[in-house]
Amino acid sequence: MTARDLDRIRFVTRHFTGLQGLRFAVPLGLITLSGGGTTYFTNRWFLLLRAALFAGGVLLALAASRYYRRTFGEVDTLGLAPVEAPESLSIYSPGGAATLLAAPPRETLALRRSLLLGGLALAAYVVLRSLAPAVGFEADESLVEAPWHSLRAGVFYFLPLQEPSLTPTMVKALFGQALYALCGALALGTWFARGRRFSQVHYLALGLPLLALAAVGASLGRFIGVGDDPAWITWILPALVHLWVALLLCGLALIVAGLLDHRQLVRALRRPGPAAAAR
Amino acid sequence: MSDTPFEALAQLDRRLHEPARLAILAALSACERADFLFLLHITGLAQAQLSAQLANLEEAGLVEIEKRFVDKKTQTLARLSNSGRQQLDGYWKEMEELREGAAAWRRQPPEPAPA
């Protein structure tokens, strides 16, 4: 048995609840996807799809909880406060010393951290947006066209003389960009919270592009209005303006992250353990 | 510290310094408590071996075992005792000292061969 085996054991145990991707991230991703195209309700099949996604997310969350408990057992996680004497940590104590300090349960700490991160991300988005020239958007807000048709309809963007009014297009654009900031920050925060491990790098890979979309959306005014607009703006504009695209991207990111977490958990708990191999 | 790290290695507490028990203790050190099924998966031990090792650890005072009924089935929960956590902490520190001792011992120039 190596230190790496022990490190893996401690990591999987410590993050057992968080790695249950089918219980949290995937259902949340499905529910997020179901929110896309909310104003397009004339197509019955599309409505059924959205309802199925929502119901599927809820049912999966309930079923997955039972699945993980029956298949892999239960772990009562604990709140591990920062060790008072980090210099006493041994490299053979992967993830930290075994000594515990009294702290709230890990789930409470995780929720607090998520709320704090989300709040900071939204605040940063608002600040970034206020520092750049305001950009107005106008797009097709038809209630009878499918959402994906709006990609062909084109988006008009302009630097308004005043702060642009909150038209439906603007509200959706702002909400979508804020969603990128929120999801990106949570993904990045998860990667940091899990020790910036290589096995969790998918959170970094998913979080950075979402944060970049939020940053570009907030500071778009810096890139337009001075000479010819860069060509990449036309390419990225649908993601910045259409809320359903934001819901699609964030939902897919959650689903991918959840599936990868689940895969890691299953692989860690199904293969012969180091203790068995050492016999 | 002995002249070589090998003497210290031979004196490690065998209750902890054993792959199966170390795997169990490593898992329990990262949580409040875990049930038997989870320990079975995370350590990869056979059911009988895990039962025996948990009994050994409980007898040594390193682990506390709790049994409860859930859905008409017995569920076994294990947690590190306070003494177990302290001894495990001490074990990690011993291993760290051994590592440093071994590194220092390797850096020593070889003794010249007798004429």
Side-chain angles (χ1 to χ4, degrees):
Chain A
M1 181 183 302
T2 65
R4 191 171 177 175
D5 293 323
L6 295 175
D7 178 58
R8 178 181 61 79
I9 287 173
R10 285 179 61 100
F11 174 78
V12 171
T13 305
R14 186 190 298 263
H15 298 284
F16 179 64
T17 304
L19 288 172
Q20 294 176 14
L22 296 183
R23 187 177 164 193
F24 298 109
V26 174
L28 190 58
L30 291 173
I31 291 170
T32 302
L33 284 180
S34 72
T38 317
T39 55
Y40 177 52
F41 50 80
T42 59
N43 186 308
R44 182 181 58 181
W45 296 113
F46 190 69
L47 275 178
L48 283 175
L49 173 64
R50 289 182 50 229
L53 285 171
F54 184 86
V58 173
L59 290 174
L60 179 62
L62 295 172
S65 175
R66 188 182 171 94
Y67 159 73
Y68 283 118
R69 190 173 61 249
R70 291 198 161 190
T71 307
F72 300 118
E74 292 181 49
V75 173
D76 288 347
T77 54
L78 36 70
L80 293 176
V83 180
E84 285 182 346
E87 63 274 7
S88 68
L89 293 182
S90 161
I91 64 167
Y92 290 101
S93 179
T99 304
L100 300 172
L101 301 176
R106 178 167 287 277
E107 288 78 11
T108 306
L109 289 173
L111 183 62
R112 283 185 200 168
R113 187 190 69 231
S114 300
L115 288 173
L116 181 64
L117 270 175
L120 285 174
L122 291 175
Y125 171 75
V126 168
V127 168
L128 200 60
R129 188 175 161 75
S130 66
L131 293 176
V135 177
F137 298 114
E138 283 299 333
D140 178 22
E141 293 299 328
S142 168
L143 299 179
V144 296
E145 286 287 332
W148 45 89
H149 289 169
S150 61
L151 291 177
R152 293 201 303 266
V155 175
F156 297 99
Y157 58 93
F158 52 94
L159 291 176
L161 294 176
Q162 302 172 354
E163 185 68 26
S165 56
L166 291 178
T167 61
T169 304
M170 279 304 298
V171 171
K172 288 180 187 176
L174 292 176
F175 196 84
Q177 292 170 22
L179 191 62
Y180 289 137
L182 194 65
C183 288
L186 289 176
L188 206 60
T190 301
W191 183 64
F192 273 101
R194 294 186 185 174
R196 293 172 293 170
R197 299 168 71 96
F198 182 73
S199 64
Q200 300 294 298
V201 77
H202 51 275
Y203 280 101
L204 181 69
L206 293 168
L208 285 180
L210 292 177
L211 284 176
L213 281 172
V216 169
S219 55
L220 193 62
R222 294 185 183 277
F223 302 106
I224 66 175
V226 182
D228 292 334
D229 294 338
W232 57 264
I233 289 185
T234 308
W235 181 75
I236 205 174
L237 215 48
L240 300 179
V241 174
H242 297 296
L243 177 58
W244 70 268
V245 176
L247 288 168
L248 181 70
L249 292 178
C250 292
L252 286 176
L254 284 167
I255 291 172
V256 167
L259 289 175
L260 289 174
D261 280 347
H262 170 74
R263 176 173 172 263
Q264 182 182 15
L265 189 65
V266 168
R267 291 181 72 183
L269 296 181
R270 278 199 178 165
R271 64 185 180 191
R279 278 181 283 137
Chain B
M1 173 69 69
S2 52
D3 290 337
T4 72
F6 305 110
E7 287 84 356
L9 190 63
Q11 290 168 9
L12 284 173
D13 188 346
R14 293 294 166 181
R15 294 178 307 171
L16 282 79
H17 191 67
E18 194 277 331
R21 287 194 283 272
L22 196 54
I24 296 169
L25 293 172
L28 292 179
S29 69
C31 64
E32 176 68 28
R33 59 185 179 180
D35 73 348
F36 189 88
L37 181 59
F38 176 79
L39 290 175
L40 207 60
H41 282 287
I42 196 70
T43 61
L45 295 171
Q47 194 165 343
Q49 189 181 11
L50 178 60
S51 293
Q53 295 293 358
L54 281 174
N56 289 338
L57 289 170
E58 187 184 25
E59 192 177 327
L62 298 172
V63 160
E64 294 169 355
I65 304 292
E66 174 192 344
K67 290 185 188 289
R68 63 182 185 187
F69 286 97
V70 177
D71 294 335
K72 298 181 183 177
K73 293 179 185 175
T74 305
Q75 185 186 33
T76 303
L77 297 163
R79 62 191 297 172
L80 271 185
S81 64
N82 291 335
S83 166
R85 288 194 187 274
Q86 289 170 1
Q87 291 188 51
L88 188 61
D89 213 8
Y91 170 80
W92 294 134
K93 287 180 181 154
E94 272 187 78
M95 291 298 292
E96 175 70 22
E97 288 172 0
L98 268 173
R99 188 192 69 82
E100 291 172 354
W105 180 76
R106 278 201 309 272
R107 283 194 296 267
Q108 289 175 1
E111 292 181 358

